[in-house]
Amino acid sequence: MEKEEFITIAKEIKPLIEQLMKTLDQCGVESMSSLTMDTNGYFYFTLHDEKYHFVRTNQNRAAKVDFDIEI
């Protein structure tokens, strides 16, 4: 990927990131969060201080809230 292509992507996603940050703030989230995704429909969103995750493994699967179980 060329630098110019990356800059274009950054400019496109900046408002989306700002909206996510606003939503997290409005919901009182104080911990860090992570969002990982690919172009095949996979995404994984988590709040670092929580046990819950929002995940979809591909575009043919439904998105779901998942959680960790401590044993």
Side-chain angles (χ1 to χ4, degrees):
M1 173 178 291
E2 297 293 326
K3 180 174 116 177
E4 294 77 20
E5 292 173 307
F6 187 83
I7 290 170
T8 298
I9 292 170
K11 287 178 180 178
E12 290 286 326
I13 66 171
K14 184 180 177 199
L16 302 171
I17 292 170
E18 290 171 347
Q19 181 59 49
L20 288 170
M21 293 171 71
K22 181 180 176 182
T23 299
L24 294 172
D25 183 54
Q26 290 173 340
C27 291
V29 174
E30 296 179 356
S31 66
M32 290 184 64
S33 61
S34 295
L35 175 61
T36 305
M37 65 183 75
D38 69 15
T39 58
N40 295 319
Y42 169 88
F43 67 79
Y44 184 90
F45 173 77
T46 190
L47 301 175
H48 291 224
D49 290 346
E50 299 292 334
K51 60 184 176 181
Y52 305 103
H53 318 284
F54 185 41
V55 62
R56 183 174 69 189
T57 55
N58 65 54
Q59 61 191 2
N60 298 320
R61 304 285 305 262
K64 64 179 184 174
V65 173
D66 201 0
F67 58 93
D68 296 333
I69 299 173
E70 294 183 27
I71 55 171

